[in-house]
C-alpha cells in the first residue's frame, strides 16, 4: 500500500482525498466492475496469467517484462 500511495501522490500531485482512501475506493470500483463483467472473484491468482509488483520492479521494468512475455 505504501508504494501505491507514493505513486498516486507523485502521479497526480494534489491530494484531494487521502491517497489511501482514494486507493480503497478505486479498488472497490475495480472489484465490482471485474466481478460484474467476468462473474469471477477479483484478485484470485487463478484468474490471471501474469502479475507484477510495480512497487518492487518499477513501471519501466514491468513494461519490459510484459513485452518479453508477448515476444
Amino acid at each position: 500500500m505504501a508504494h501505491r500511495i507514493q505513486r498516486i501522490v507523485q502521479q497526480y500531485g494534489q491530494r484531494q482525498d487521502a491517497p489511501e482512501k482514494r486507493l480503497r475506493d478505486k479498488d472497490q470500483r475495480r472489484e465490482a466492475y471485474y466481478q460484474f463483467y467476468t462473474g469471477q472473484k477479483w484478485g484470485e491468482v487463478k484468474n490471471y496469467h501474469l502479475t507484477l509488483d510495480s512497487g518492487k520492479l518499477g513501471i519501466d521494468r514491468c513494461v519490459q517484462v510484459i513485452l518479453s512475455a508477448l515476444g
Side-chain angles (χ1 to χ4, degrees):
M1 182 63 81
H3 289 288
R4 293 176 74 202
I5 290 170
Q6 181 182 8
R7 183 162 186 271
I8 206 170
V9 170
Q10 289 174 345
Q11 187 75 23
Y12 301 106
Q14 300 180 38
R15 299 201 266 188
Q16 294 175 335
D17 292 332
E20 191 170 347
K21 180 187 180 320
R22 184 175 177 178
L23 285 172
R24 281 198 193 108
D25 291 345
K26 192 113 173 147
D27 284 348
Q28 285 180 338
R29 287 192 301 263
R30 285 181 179 144
E31 180 177 3
Y33 178 92
Y34 181 86
Q35 288 178 347
F36 180 82
Y37 286 103
T38 67
Q40 298 187 34
K41 184 169 170 50
W42 186 62
E44 280 191 10
V45 174
K46 69 179 185 170
N47 297 331
Y48 300 90
H49 296 296
L50 176 69
T51 59
L52 302 170
D53 185 345
S54 61
K56 280 193 169 186
L57 298 174
I59 300 298
D60 292 337
R61 181 68 181 131
C62 286
V63 170
Q64 292 172 355
V65 171
I66 292 167
L67 293 174
S68 292
L70 292 173

